[in-house]
Amino acid sequence: LYPNMLKPLDLGFTVLKNRVIMGSMHTGLEEAENGFERMAAFFAERARGGVSLIVTGGFGPNIRAATHEHTKMLRSEEDCVGHRIVTEAVHAEDGKICLQILHTGRYAFNENPIAPSAIRAPINAFTPEAASVDQIEEQIQDFVRTAVLAQKAGYDGVEIMGSEGYFINQFLAKRTNQREDEWGGDYANRMRLPVDIVRRVREATGENFIIIYRLSMLDLVEGGSSFDEVMTLGKAVEKAGATIINTGIGWHEARIPTIATKVPRAAFTWVTAKFREGLTVPVITSNRINTPEVAEEVLARGDADMVSMARPFLADSDFIIKAAAGRSDEINTCIGCNQACLDHIFSGKLTSCLVNPRACHETELTISPTNARKNIAVVGAGPAGLAFACTAAERGHSVTLFDAASEIGGQFNIAKQVPGKEEFNETIRYFSKRLEVTGVQTKLGVKVDQQALNEGNFDEVALATGIVPRMPPIAGIDHPKVMSYLDVIRDGKAVGKKVAIIGAGGIGFDVAEFLTHDSDASTNIQTFMREWGVDMSMQARGGIEGMKAELGEPSREVYLLQRKASKVGNGLGKTTGWIHRTGLQKKGVNMIPGCEYLKIDDAGLHIRVGNEESVLDVDNIIICAGQESLTELSEGLSMPYHLIGGAHLATELDAKRAIDQGTRVAATI
Ligand code: FMN
């Protein structure tokens, strides 16, 4: 099974037990109360699950270099005490762990960032100070000090973060480095900083310490590195003493998706493959590798020596042991949604995972065997009902799951049909296997009523009956042109060439995507790169300079309307909203905020925006104006019940809340 993925890698002074590292993620546990204990539990669970090497989230080498002013650091012998809790916990599980040193440079969210030149980043409000020569020396010393302390704290190595547009990357690229001294100008000067850092960290930590250098192989910004420069840097970093080189793709300010669910699996391993040809140290590839099959394929093809998976280890800590035991179908697969990980981090919340609410909550959300076995009915096999049923059954309860539909998944069956959301299939696959493993009795195609529940000898009931789409009170809403999103996506009803969508929340965006999408960009790497204007021949600087995005003519004319006056798509995910907006804009979708719906008739949809009235002469009007909870079963039940998921709250369809709530309620009954 997976011979390439599970093959050990001998680094000379130490052996990694397989070819998978858990990629760096700053989760917010670093700064949380009892953060070290919680990080220890989080990482130890992953080490127990078989990953060969873990990289921590980024830690700043000094306060100006850290992401925030309150970011945790490793600056003194005293700080080692906390870190030792983490390293000891990982070692106790036969794992290895490296500390990532991340200097944010001009990306720091504090008032006085420091960078090669005083050029503000488009994604930051603060303009950095250009570092003096002495200050550059101090930054290097701080990298070295952090590495030495990491070694003292028991880490097996460090990862030096040189990609994603952070400090080191800022020195490398002309875009951000306009210095005229020995740290700027030609490439030999611009790459002096990373090479010096690696060399001096190696000198200070000795031979038997892992140094991973995360190298930006494709900047995806104008004025980024050329591929020749990337190769030159790779060779220099290797010579300076790096043990392993890891792949970084895209600066944070880049406007090309690199990790969202729309990005095809393993979309960027061709870059690492090209890079690897010129090097001798092991090379790691990264981004959107989320199943053992994909990891194996990437390694078998020789694209890299190792793969990094970050979010897949939020989704499932036991990824490796399940794969090794031939139980890949039990893996909870990362769907690349970013809704509970990256979106949380960028809004100051603790990371978790939409498909696994225990991620980063290991000490707080425990699922332990029950000592009072109950007979439980769950009505509705959508995300909330599935999470509840499996968790309750895993704890030892006797669980029967009913759904009127002939398949499990609820609204996930709608989501999975939206182009770019194919990954939702994996969540349904995971749950169908987990129902089997945990022994839930599943009764599909069965519509239960109160009587059946009351007579069924159940101690408790979980009502996860979901929602119905809300029909807004617009004159003419019964017109044959009008459809609900379920008509369109679930039932595949024919839709005309000119369409108005009422409601621009997540579902409105999904429907617009569904109606305008006619390529395989979310599964075909070549199409994806063509549509986003990425050069696969390695000629363009930064991978994009001078490139044009190539898209076919849109197949439909679509209006995406909302009542609110704010920007259309404002409520979408913090780290993915721009991708959805840009994608639809490229397809010519007209987004109209502040829209009042007057009436619907044969002429189309009559609207008023400000004082202007107009008629959109559309063939169809699709309603995505929210939904209402289905709760009628709750009346007249003779036993305690729990309302979960959309049946509990229907404001927006929210799988993250549904799975979290289903799991938490089931963990406590
Ligand atoms: N990469 C870093 O190099 N340093 C970080 O501190 C870091 N923090 C992250 C935090 C979160 C919540 C996530 C989701 C990603 C973070 N990353 C960070 C990027 C990941 O290392 C990785 O490159 C990215 O998630 C793509 O890989 P994946 O598809 O396997 O998740």
Side-chain angles (χ1 to χ4, degrees):
L1 279 173
Y2 312 112
N4 290 285
M5 183 178 87
L6 298 175
K7 190 163 64 188
L9 178 66
D10 191 349
L11 296 175
F13 58 93
T14 187
V15 177
L16 304 181
K17 61 185 168 195
N18 57 53
R19 301 302 177 104
V20 181
I21 75 159
M22 173 173 159
S24 170
M25 285 180 286
H26 193 99
T27 60
L29 286 177
E30 298 82 357
E31 287 78 37
E33 203 179 321
N34 297 325
F36 287 113
E37 287 78 7
R38 294 185 67 172
M39 257 189 293
F42 170 62
F43 289 132
E45 204 168 297
R46 273 80 195 156
R48 193 153 61 240
V51 68
S52 72
L53 178 64
I54 291 167
V55 183
T56 68
F59 282 84
N62 61 51
I63 194 64
R64 276 180 93 174
T67 316
H68 292 280
E69 278 165 23
H70 56 268
T71 307
K72 267 271 174 8
M73 280 170 292
L74 174 50
R75 272 192 307 189
S76 64
E77 299 265 343
E78 248 183 352
D79 292 339
C80 288
V81 177
H83 285 271
R84 241 175 240 124
I85 301 173
V86 174
T87 55
E88 281 169 11
V90 169
H91 292 152
E93 299 293 350
D94 191 31
K96 295 192 194 306
I97 184 163
C98 291
L99 179 96
Q100 187 184 69
I101 312 176
L102 167 66
H103 191 313
T104 49
R106 71 174 192 159
Y107 282 166
F109 294 117
N110 62 41
E111 281 175 26
N112 58 349
I114 187 167
S117 301
I119 309 167
R120 186 176 64 81
I123 55 169
N124 200 351
F126 304 112
T127 302
E129 176 194 354
S132 69
V133 169
D134 285 349
Q135 284 172 323
I136 294 174
E137 171 59 23
E138 283 167 25
Q139 307 308 306
I140 299 173
Q141 285 176 13
D142 289 348
F143 268 94
V144 175
R145 180 190 59 206
T146 311
V148 168
L149 288 169
Q151 193 172 32
K152 287 194 175 153
Y155 286 101
D156 301 279
V158 289
E159 177 170 82
I160 294 166
M161 179 47 168
S163 66
E164 258 76 3
Y166 288 116
F167 187 66
I168 292 178
N169 221 173
Q170 290 155 25
F171 269 83
L172 291 166
K174 276 238 163 85
R175 176 185 180 83
T176 38
N177 182 347
Q178 296 179 356
R179 303 177 70 94
E180 287 169 358
D181 60 4
E182 69 271 32
W183 299 97
D186 65 18
Y187 194 64
N189 283 352
R190 302 204 306 276
M191 73 172 198
R192 188 185 307 273
L193 179 78
V195 178
D196 273 13
I197 291 173
V198 173
R199 185 176 42 78
R200 288 172 61 179
V201 167
R202 176 57 75 207
E203 282 164 10
T205 55
E207 289 295 302
N208 301 336
F209 192 61
I210 300 171
I211 298 177
I212 308 173
Y213 180 81
R214 193 162 198 190
L215 194 150
S216 184
M217 297 191 195
L218 196 63
D219 290 335
L220 300 177
V221 290
E222 306 267 327
S225 293
S226 70
F227 196 67
D228 276 352
E229 291 169 350
V230 167
M231 284 312 305
T232 306
L233 176 64
K235 287 178 185 156
V237 161
E238 175 178 278
K239 197 155 159 255
T243 322
I244 306 175
I245 297 180
N246 191 3
T247 302
I249 301 286
W251 289 31
H252 279 300
E253 67 206 63
R255 276 300 163 252
I256 292 171
T258 53
I259 74 168
T261 187
K262 271 188 181 181
V263 177
R265 291 175 174 180
F268 293 98
T269 65
W270 54 274
V271 185
T272 318
K274 188 82 189 132
F275 176 80
R276 184 178 181 234
E277 284 170 15
L279 291 181
T280 53
V281 290
V283 173
I284 308 171
T285 194
S286 169
N287 288 44
R288 285 282 288 127
I289 297 164
N290 65 340
T291 71
E293 288 72 24
V294 173
E296 180 64 21
E297 191 186 318
V298 164
L299 293 167
R301 202 165 50 218
D303 287 359
D305 302 277
M306 297 188 78
V307 296
S308 166
M309 292 187 236
R311 294 166 301 166
F313 283 106
L314 295 175
D316 199 326
S317 53
D318 289 342
F319 185 103
I320 299 291
I321 49 173
K322 284 178 180 172
R327 292 162 45 217
S328 289
D329 54 350
E330 287 180 43
I331 293 175
N332 196 357
T333 304
C334 166
I335 59 174
C337 70
N338 287 347
Q339 288 179 41
C341 55
L342 220 51
D343 282 353
H344 275 202
I345 272 301
F346 279 99
S347 41
K349 286 193 259 175
L350 202 58
T351 290
S352 187
C353 176
L354 181 139
V355 298
N356 175 25
R358 284 197 68 246
C360 299
H361 294 72
E362 287 73 15
T363 55
E364 169 246 2
L365 175 52
T366 50
I367 294 166
S368 45
T370 178
N371 44 26
R373 182 179 161 94
K374 290 179 189 163
N375 195 16
I376 298 172
V378 183
V379 188
L386 289 168
F388 181 97
C390 295
T391 308
E394 189 179 311
R395 297 187 54 219
H397 293 299
S398 166
V399 181
T400 311
L401 171 66
F402 300 95
D403 200 299
S406 60
E407 53 181 3
I408 66 159
Q411 299 285 326
F412 269 21
N413 289 311
I414 317 269
K416 75 181 187 194
Q417 294 183 57
V418 175
K421 291 199 165 174
E422 297 83 1
E423 293 285 8
F424 281 87
N425 278 305
E426 297 294 343
T427 310
I428 297 174
R429 184 265 309 144
Y430 162 74
F431 273 119
S432 65
K433 184 69 190 174
R434 192 158 167 233
L435 288 173
E436 191 187 309
V437 172
T438 55
V440 173
Q441 299 175 55
T442 307
K443 308 222 160 159
L444 297 176
V446 178
K447 193 163 166 57
V448 283
D449 53 18
Q450 277 100 341
Q451 196 187 349
L453 292 172
N454 285 338
E455 291 171 2
N457 208 13
F458 296 112
D459 301 311
E460 279 182 41
V461 175
L463 295 175
T465 38
I467 50 92
V468 278
R470 189 180 77 87
M471 282 296 176
I474 302 170
I477 191 84
D478 296 331
H479 195 279
K481 283 176 189 263
V482 177
M483 298 175 163
S484 84
Y485 65 88
L486 293 177
D487 294 327
V488 178
I489 301 183
R490 184 189 63 192
D491 304 336
K493 286 201 183 150
V495 177
K497 286 279 174 202
K498 209 167 168 187
V499 179
I501 299 170
I502 290 185
I507 297 177
F509 267 81
D510 278 356
V511 170
E513 189 71 52
F514 185 82
L515 292 175
T516 54
H517 193 98
D518 42 19
S519 88
D520 57 354
S522 54
T523 51
N524 182 315
I525 296 168
Q526 275 76 19
T527 314
F528 176 89
M529 298 302 160
R530 204 170 51 240
E531 288 194 0
W532 287 94
V534 178
D535 171 33
M536 293 184 79
S537 73
M538 310 283 190
Q539 304 297 309
R541 189 168 271 282
I544 59 153
E545 231 172 73
M547 298 292 293
K548 273 213 172 69
E550 288 174 33
L551 279 153
E553 277 299 303
S555 52
R556 280 196 179 85
E557 195 178 336
V558 173
Y559 295 88
L560 183 55
L561 314 171
Q562 72 178 28
R563 262 189 326 204
K564 271 186 275 180
S566 52
K567 189 166 76 174
V568 173
N570 236 6
L572 299 176
K574 205 165 168 107
T575 63
T576 52
W578 66 271
I579 303 173
H580 299 301
R581 270 195 306 273
T582 313
L584 291 186
Q585 274 155 2
K586 283 185 179 176
K587 288 174 191 143
V589 171
N590 302 294
M591 303 186 190
I592 309 181
C595 194
E596 196 184 330
Y597 311 114
L598 303 175
K599 66 175 177 188
I600 297 162
D601 60 19
D602 289 347
L605 174 65
H606 298 247
I607 59 170
R608 178 160 46 217
V609 180
N611 294 324
E612 293 266 323
E613 288 192 14
S614 60
V615 189
L616 303 177
D617 59 338
V618 292
D619 306 312
N620 291 107
I621 294 129
I622 300 164
I623 310 294
C624 306
Q627 40 275 319
E628 283 156 13
S629 297
L630 273 176
T631 59
E632 75 262 11
L633 275 182
S634 62
E635 280 143 39
L637 281 184
S638 59
M639 71 289 282
Y641 66 86
H642 310 272
L643 277 173
I644 55 175
H648 172 247
L649 197 67
T651 38
E652 258 288 342
L653 276 191
D654 189 343
K656 180 181 77 175
R657 183 167 41 74
I659 293 178
D660 184 72
Q661 189 184 29
T663 308
R664 281 177 191 274
V665 176
T668 53
I669 53 161

